[in-house]
Amino acid sequence: MSTGLGLGGVALLGGLAGCGDKSPDSEIIPDGTEGEEVIDPKLAKQDGTLEWAVSGGWRSQTDKARDKYRHPIGLLNFFEIRPKHTVIDMWPGFGYMTEILSPYLSHGKGQYIAALFESKSPADQAMAALNAKYRERFSGNKKLYGSVEFTEFGPESPQLLPAGSADCVLMLLVIQDWMMRGSVEKAFEDAYAALKPGGILGVEQHRADIGAAQDPAGAKGYVQEPFVRQLAAEAGFQFVQASEINANPKDDKDHPFGVWTLPPYRQTAERGQPPNPEFDGALYESIGESDRMTLKFRKPQ
C-alpha cells in the first residue's frame, strides 16, 4: 500500500513473479542516483516544495527510512506532479506517499485524493479497518494535510472522480493485488476515465523478469513490464517514458514468500501462518526493497 498497496497489503492481498530485464522498446531514463536521495537543504527549508514535504518532521521515521529505495522527489518529478494538480493515489495503504503529497498539494492549492479499498462484504473486514485508520489519520490535521478527499476502488466501485477531473493518477506497488482480485483491467480503465486529456498515469511496480509466462494472479508480487504496458495501451494510454530510478539489481526475485520476503514487508511464513521467529532475514535485509519498473503514460489530448 503506498507503503504501497503498502505494508498493510501484505496481510491482505497478493502479487507476481519474475524481473530485471527491460522490454526492448522502452525509453529508459537512467536513475543517476543510488542509495540516498540527495535533498537540496535550501529547498528543504522552503515551504511548499517537494524537498520540504519529503524532509517534513511530520513524516514517520519508518517511512523516511524507505526514501533511499523509493526516491520520492525524483519519482514525483518524473510523473510531472505540480503543486496545483489534482492527484488520485490508488490504494495508498498506510500513507507513505500521502505524508508527502497531501501537504505539498494542499500548500500549492492542489488536491490529493485517496482511492481506498472497496470494502462491501464481511470478508473485507481487514480492508475496512485499514480504510478507517487511514481516514482518521489524514482527516484530523487539515492545517498540514489539507482537505484530503476519499473515494474507493474495487471490482464494483463507481468512477473514481467525475470524468476528466484529475491531472495525475498513481498506481504505486499495487498492480499485483488487483491481478489477484480480478480488477486490474478495471483499474486502468477507471484511471483513464478520471484523467483530463493530457493527464499522467504514474506506475511504480515490482518488476518481473521477461521470458517466463506471466502469472495472471501475480502470486509472487512481481509483474512483467510488457504486461503493464499492454494493460495501459488497452485502456487507451500512450507510453511516454520508463525510469530506472527505483531499480535494484540485487533483487533476483527468488524469495520464499515472494516480494513480501523483502523489506518493508519482511514476511517470515506462508500467509495465514504465524510469523516464524527462526526465519533468518539477514540476506533479504542486505537486498533491500524490490527491483521496480517506473513507467509514465499519458492520456491522449
Side-chain angles (χ1 to χ4, degrees), residues 61-298:
Q61 291 305 307
T62 298
D63 281 350
K64 283 188 173 183
R66 300 189 66 202
D67 291 352
K68 64 182 179 181
Y69 300 113
R70 300 203 63 183
H71 303 95
I73 297 171
L75 185 76
L76 297 175
N77 279 328
F78 178 69
F79 293 148
E80 303 180 27
I81 292 175
R82 300 295 178 259
K84 292 185 178 181
H85 279 177
T86 295
V87 179
I88 304 174
D89 190 358
M90 296 182 70
W91 284 22
F94 288 138
Y96 170 89
M97 198 58 74
T98 315
E99 284 188 326
I100 298 168
L101 266 182
S102 55
Y104 173 71
L105 294 171
S106 175
H107 194 281
K109 309 303 180 185
Q111 182 64 59
Y112 178 85
I113 299 166
L116 304 180
F117 307 108
E118 180 187 37
S119 52
K120 293 185 175 181
S121 71
D124 289 334
Q125 287 182 351
M127 301 173 84
L130 182 59
N131 282 353
K133 289 182 179 180
Y134 181 96
R135 285 176 179 268
E136 180 181 7
R137 177 181 179 188
F138 292 108
S139 298
N141 189 345
K142 287 185 167 52
K143 183 176 181 180
L144 174 61
Y145 297 122
S147 297
V148 174
E149 291 189 12
F150 303 100
T151 184
E152 290 190 354
F153 171 74
E156 301 177 19
S157 60
Q159 61 186 7
L160 294 169
L161 281 183
S165 299
D167 297 284
C168 182
V169 175
L170 298 176
M171 298 180 177
L172 306 178
L173 309 179
V174 290
I175 290 175
Q176 74 283 342
D177 299 295
W178 298 331
M179 291 168 68
M180 173 174 271
R181 296 173 73 85
S183 56
V184 68
E185 290 88 357
K186 182 178 184 293
F188 281 83
E189 292 164 0
D190 287 5
Y192 187 91
L195 282 166
K196 301 174 182 177
I200 295 294
L201 171 65
V203 174
E204 178 191 8
Q205 177 60 39
H206 314 296
R207 179 169 49 190
D209 290 322
I210 296 171
Q214 174 69 56
D215 175 3
K220 295 293 184 181
Y222 294 98
V223 184
Q224 293 182 21
E225 180 182 325
F227 180 68
V228 175
R229 290 180 59 175
Q230 177 183 338
L231 288 167
E234 288 175 350
F237 287 102
Q238 296 174 340
F239 173 71
V240 180
Q241 287 175 320
S243 170
E244 289 299 281
I245 190 169
N246 286 329
N248 180 0
K250 293 190 290 184
D251 181 11
D252 64 5
K253 293 87 176 181
D254 185 16
H255 317 310
F257 312 113
V259 73
W260 298 282
T261 316
L262 297 174
Y265 315 110
R266 299 179 175 89
Q267 189 171 324
T268 62
E270 295 292 345
R271 293 179 188 277
Q273 299 299 315
N276 178 4
E278 297 182 0
F279 182 82
D280 185 358
L283 170 62
Y284 308 105
E285 291 296 324
S286 71
I287 292 171
E289 295 197 16
S290 66
D291 177 58
R292 289 150 189 181
M293 68 183 90
T294 302
L295 307 176
K296 178 165 60 176
F297 302 92
R298 193 181 304 276

